[in-house]
Amino acid sequence: MVKQGDKVKAGQPCVEVDWATIKAAGLDTSTMLIITEPVDGKEYQSIDNQAVECMQKVNK
């Protein structure tokens, strides 16, 4: 849905996933968030594992 180098906005879809196919194959559906260019001075926090719905904001 986007290409490498594209600028995206919060909430903008960037990938489509066929979760049913992944689950049917017996694969884990856990997703990682990797921050490759952290902002100086910004504090990043992790949260405990939890299920979330599409477009749900996750706050700690």
Side-chain angles (χ1 to χ4, degrees), residues 36-55:
T36 59
E37 295 181 23
V39 175
D40 285 337
K42 179 160 178 74
E43 184 176 319
Y44 297 92
Q45 297 178 347
S46 62
I47 58 170
D48 295 331
N49 292 337
Q50 60 181 290
V52 296
E53 298 297 323
C54 180
M55 301 302 292

Side-chain angles (χ1 to χ4, degrees), residues 4-57:
Q4 183 175 347
D6 285 354
K7 293 196 181 279
V8 296
K9 296 178 182 176
Q12 177 183 344
C14 55
V15 298
E16 287 182 311
V17 177
D18 184 347
W19 294 112
T21 299
I22 293 171
K23 288 178 182 179
L27 300 172
D28 187 354
T29 58
S30 298
T31 305
M32 292 187 293
L33 170 64
I34 301 170
I35 300 170
T36 59
E37 295 181 23
V39 175
D40 285 337
K42 179 160 178 74
E43 184 176 319
Y44 297 92
Q45 297 178 347
S46 62
I47 58 170
D48 295 331
N49 292 337
Q50 60 181 290
V52 296
E53 298 297 323
C54 180
M55 301 302 292
Q56 176 184 344
K57 288 188 176 187

